[in-house]
Amino acid sequence: MSEIKNLQPACIWKNFHALTQVPRPSGHLEKIQQFLLDFAAEAGVDAFKDPAGNIVMRKPATPGMEDRKGVILQAHMDMVPQKSPESTHNFETDPIETWIDGDWVKAKGTTLGADNGIGVAAIMAVMEAKDMRHGPINALITADEETGMYGANGLPEKELEGDVLLNLDSEHWGKFVIGSAGGIDVTATLDYQEVDTDPEDVAVKVTLKGLRGGHSGLEIHEGRANANKQMVRFVREAIEECEARLACWHGGNMRNAIPFKAEVVLTLPAENVEALKELVADWKADLEDQFKNIESGIEMLVEEVEAPQKEVPVEIQDNLIDAIYACHDGVVRMIPSYPKVVETSSNLAIIDIEGGKAVIKILARSSREDMKDYVVKMLESCFNMAGMKVETAGSYGGWDPNPDSPILHHLLRIYKEQNGEDGIIQVDHAGLECSVILGKYPHLDVVSLGPTMKSPHTTSERCYIPTIAPFWALLRQALEEI
C-alpha cells in the first residue's frame, strides 16, 4: 500500500495515502473529521467542524498578498463504499488497499476513494505548503456529498470567506466544468401483509451480477446494464412461464451508483425448477448478446435454497413487477444547446422487497428545474399506480454555466501555458456541490477541475497518475496569481 507514497508529486500522494488509511464511507465520518482537524493543527492552520459536519480550514495570505482575492478550495471527505462480492472489507474499520497498475492507482476489491480523496489531498498539500505565495485561502471539506450533499446543504451562511471557489471534484484533466445538473431523491414504499408460502413449493435464489455499474451521472448515457431493470425482465417471465412467486428482492446499494448486482428468491412448484434453470440460462445468453459491446462479465446464477415461510401476495407482487418494469431508467433528454451532455435522467438504484415492506430508491437528475419536476412526476405516476407512497428528499438545483467567468479564463490561460493545448469548457450531468454553495454564496466565481479518474462509484475506480503532477502545477500557479 505504501507504494503510492513514492509517486510524484509527493505532497499529493502522501496525503492521499494517509486518507486511504482512515475509514470514511458516507454516513460514518467521525474518524476522517478528527483526522482532518489533527492534520490542520499539525500544519499550523486554523480549523473547525461546523454544525453540518464540514471541516473548514483557514490559511492566511502570504505577507504582502493580503489584498488578493480570497480563494475557497472545496472537496468532499466521504467516499462511496462499494466492494466486490468476494471482498471481506469493512469500510467502517479497514483501510483501503491500493496498488499501482502501470499508470493507474487502483484498490483491491473496493472503491479507491480518489473521488474525492485526491481533491482533499490537494487541499492538504496547499494547507501545509511553506513554499507557496498566495492570497487568503479557505478550505471547505464537506460531509456526506455522495448520499445527498448534506454537508453543502447544511453549510451556514457567512461561514466562508472568499471571492473564488475552486471545486476539486471533477474527473477529467484538461476539462473545466462550469455547470452541473441538479438532483432529487425519489423513494417509493409499500407495506403489505405477507402470505404463507405453498408448502408444496420449493425455492430458488437467482443472482444477476458482474455488471459494470458506474456513476449514475457521468456514465448514465453509456447504456450500461442496470441489474434491477434486467432482473425484472427475467422475474416477469418466470412468473408467467414457471408459476413462480416472489418472496424477496434485493438489488443495488447506493442511490448514485448504477446497480451492478440484484438477487431474488422465488418459490415455484418443484416440477418447474428445471424449466426455470433453463430460463436463467436463456436470459444470461440474451443479456450477453444485448450488452456485448458494453458488459463483459455478466453472471446469472440459480441455486436452490430453503423455502421461506412467507412471500409476497399475488396482487402486490404483480403490481410491484409492473411498476419496476415501467419505471424509467437512464437518459430522458440531452441538453439541446449541448447535445453531447445529458440534461435529464433517472437511476433505478435500490430495490428491497422483503418482510412485508417494499422500498424502491431512485436518483433523478436534471440541469433544468422544470425537467427535474417532470421526471419526478413521471416516477410518481408510475409507482402511484402500484399503490405505493412516493416521497422526495435531498433536492438540489443545477449550476447554471457562466462562460464569462474570470477564474475560468485565468485557469484556461495557465493550462495552455503549461500544457501547450487548449483546455475544454464542460457542463456535467453529475451533481456538484457548487450549485448548493452558490445558493448560499451567490457572489462566488466558480470552476470545478481535477485530474483524470475512471469508473468512480465502482470497484474499478482508478486514478491516472500522469495527470496528478500537471493538476498540482496548475493549482499552485493559479493560487500564486489570483
Side-chain angles (χ1 to χ4, degrees), residues 284-412:
K284 181 178 184 295
D286 284 349
L287 293 175
E288 287 175 335
D289 183 59
Q290 291 173 26
F291 293 95
K292 61 186 175 183
N293 295 321
I294 301 172
E295 304 282 354
S296 60
I298 296 175
E299 295 183 69
M300 199 164 183
L301 311 173
V302 57
E303 58 181 311
E304 296 187 37
V305 296
E306 183 179 351
Q309 294 183 348
K310 301 285 186 178
E311 61 189 15
V312 183
V314 172
E315 182 181 0
I316 299 297
Q317 163 197 279
D318 292 346
N319 287 342
L320 288 172
I321 297 303
D322 284 347
I324 296 166
Y325 214 112
C327 173
H328 186 277
D329 175 75
V331 176
V332 175
R333 196 171 86 145
M334 310 300 280
I335 300 177
S337 56
Y338 293 89
K340 294 183 179 181
V341 180
V342 179
E343 177 204 81
T344 307
S345 73
S346 64
N347 179 47
L348 179 56
I350 300 170
I351 298 177
D352 286 306
I353 302 172
E354 189 172 20
K357 190 171 187 67
V359 180
I360 299 174
K361 298 180 180 181
I362 299 163
L363 175 57
R365 302 178 189 262
S366 184
S367 52
R368 289 183 60 100
E369 285 299 302
D370 55 354
M371 286 301 294
K372 188 170 74 172
D373 182 64
Y374 165 75
V375 74
V376 168
K377 284 184 169 55
M378 177 171 64
L379 295 168
E380 285 179 341
S381 300
C382 173
F383 291 112
N384 283 340
M385 286 190 289
M388 303 188 77
K389 178 183 179 181
V390 180
E391 297 176 296
T392 59
S395 179
Y396 57 93
W399 169 19
D400 293 329
N402 176 18
D404 298 321
S405 156
I407 187 59
L408 168 67
H409 292 284
H410 185 74
L411 293 171
L412 290 171

Side-chain angles (χ1 to χ4, degrees), residues 138-161:
N138 278 206
L140 172 64
I141 304 176
T142 49
D144 289 326
E145 185 267 356
E146 299 288 7
T147 52
M149 300 194 182
Y150 294 114
N153 278 304
L155 178 69
E157 296 181 11
K158 301 181 180 179
E159 178 173 280
L160 300 178
E161 302 167 354

Side-chain angles (χ1 to χ4, degrees), residues 2-15:
S2 61
E3 288 182 2
I4 65 171
K5 291 194 293 186
N6 299 323
L7 295 172
Q8 296 297 323
C11 60
I12 299 285
W13 287 111
K14 73 176 181 66
N15 285 323

Side-chain angles (χ1 to χ4, degrees), residues 216-251:
S216 69
L218 295 175
E219 293 159 332
I220 196 71
H221 63 289
E222 295 184 4
R224 300 183 182 188
N226 179 309
N228 286 322
K229 286 297 285 185
Q230 303 313 315
M231 180 63 86
V232 77
R233 300 169 68 190
F234 161 77
V235 170
R236 183 168 187 158
E237 189 166 346
I239 291 170
E240 294 171 351
E241 302 294 330
C242 302
E243 302 176 66
R245 294 284 300 278
L246 178 65
C248 67
W249 180 322
H250 299 289

